[in-house]
Amino acid sequence: MKQPDPADFEALIADRSGFLRVLTAAPRSKRDLTELFDCSRSTIDRVLRSLADAYLVEYQDGEWHATAAGVCAYRKHDEYASFLTDLADAAPILAALPTETPIGEAFLPGSTAHIAESSVPDAVLDVMLCSVRGASVVRGLVPKAPAGSATEFYEAAVTDDSATLELVLDGDVFDRLYELNPQETKDALDKPSVTLFRGTIPWTFGLWIADETEVGVVVYTEQGIQGCMLNDTKTAVEWATEQYDSVERDAEEIFLRGGPKGIR
């Protein structure tokens, strides 16, 4: 038995994925395929012959079936095509990040990208506010001071006294927020449900985790915000939790003056 050439195999699967999808769902007769794809019988014969020669389909009991290899080929191709679609949507946002970024296959599949509009770039943060609003537990990493939206984020995340907010702020972000909104910052730290940490965030993107069911990424540039991405898959939540924990474990909790550490 001759093994298919990998390059030809890849091209065949991509070109004939529609046939593999149909035959993976259920066996079909040649007549069914002719009507379904609105092709001539000679075209169907040629397609089935090429797929059969690659061991992706076989003929049994008057119908064409996808083989185990055919089912596997279709599913992996579909997964790859879906990933490319998500990547294409997110590409304008990812382009603002350094080449070495941890945002990749663990986060992108199943994500939704929201690109900031040049006229009102901060408007894209509504995506983040809607995500955290009503959540019982919100955790996040803040690499830059969202001066204009800090109050909005806080009010969205802490909708009542039972809601828990835990943030790690990079460098002097807390100091800048305190300078801009001293009373609001003090009031926030007075709440037992709010915990702020000072730590080192090694990326130019922030992230948030809402109720361990939805996560988001916000990408910053020197000019402002490039965009946000949301994902509610289990893999994405696990990825975001891993990123958060890696930063939070080395961070120091921020207290009001007179506390163990005090405001620096």
Side-chain angles (χ1 to χ4, degrees):
M1 300 176 69
K2 184 179 179 181
Q3 293 178 315
D5 176 85
D8 293 340
F9 196 58
E10 181 181 4
L12 176 64
I13 293 169
D15 192 41
R16 303 305 185 188
S17 61
F19 284 86
L20 289 174
R21 172 179 56 80
V22 168
L23 295 177
T24 293
R28 302 277 185 168
S29 67
K30 187 184 298 184
R31 181 177 179 179
D32 290 338
L33 293 171
T34 301
E35 295 175 353
L36 189 61
F37 288 96
D38 194 23
C39 294
S40 66
R41 290 179 65 87
S42 60
T43 297
I44 296 297
D45 285 337
R46 187 166 62 253
V47 171
L48 291 174
R49 190 182 310 115
S50 64
L51 291 172
D53 289 345
Y55 311 105
L56 298 174
V57 301
E58 60 185 358
Y59 185 73
Q60 290 181 355
D61 303 324
E63 293 181 314
W64 286 91
H65 302 244
T67 63
V71 172
C72 183
Y74 167 69
R75 288 176 177 168
K76 292 304 292 184
H77 176 270
D78 186 55
E79 179 183 320
Y80 178 63
S82 178
F83 173 75
L84 287 183
T85 298
D86 294 332
L87 177 58
D89 291 341
I93 301 175
L94 296 177
L97 295 172
T99 302
E100 297 299 322
T101 177
I103 300 175
E105 293 183 31
F107 176 80
L108 289 176
S111 65
T112 304
H114 302 267
I115 303 170
E117 297 181 11
S118 57
S119 57
V120 280
D122 288 355
V124 76
L125 289 179
D126 287 344
V127 173
M128 177 171 63
L129 300 179
C130 288
S131 175
V132 302
R133 187 173 288 115
S136 297
V137 180
V138 175
R139 295 186 292 160
L141 302 178
V142 185
K144 294 191 176 184
S149 58
T151 300
E152 290 180 274
F153 179 83
Y154 172 74
E155 291 177 350
V158 187
T159 52
D160 56 56
D161 290 337
S162 64
T164 299
L165 175 63
E166 186 177 290
L167 297 176
V168 180
L169 301 99
D170 186 73
D172 63 353
V173 171
F174 175 80
D175 297 329
R176 293 174 63 188
L177 291 178
Y178 184 74
E179 289 173 6
L180 291 170
N181 303 293
Q183 190 57 53
E184 291 178 356
T185 304
K186 289 179 181 179
D187 291 343
L189 283 174
D190 271 340
K191 286 181 174 289
S193 59
V194 175
T195 307
L196 300 183
F197 297 91
R198 189 193 306 269
T200 300
I201 301 175
W203 318 294
T204 55
F205 66 85
L207 67 80
W208 70 90
I209 307 167
D211 283 342
E212 307 297 328
T213 58
E214 183 174 66
V215 299
V217 166
V218 55
V219 176
Y220 298 93
T221 68
E222 292 300 322
Q223 292 70 42
I225 297 167
Q226 189 79 357
C228 295
M229 294 177 284
L230 288 177
N231 201 323
D232 61 1
T233 65
K234 180 181 178 182
T235 301
V237 172
E238 290 175 347
W239 170 83
T241 300
E242 181 180 344
Q243 307 310 308
Y244 180 86
D245 289 344
S246 71
V247 173
E248 189 271 339
R249 70 170 61 101
D250 296 320
E252 292 186 343
E253 187 172 351
I254 298 170
F255 295 88
L256 294 171
R257 291 191 184 279
K261 298 184 181 67
I263 295 175
R264 300 179 183 179

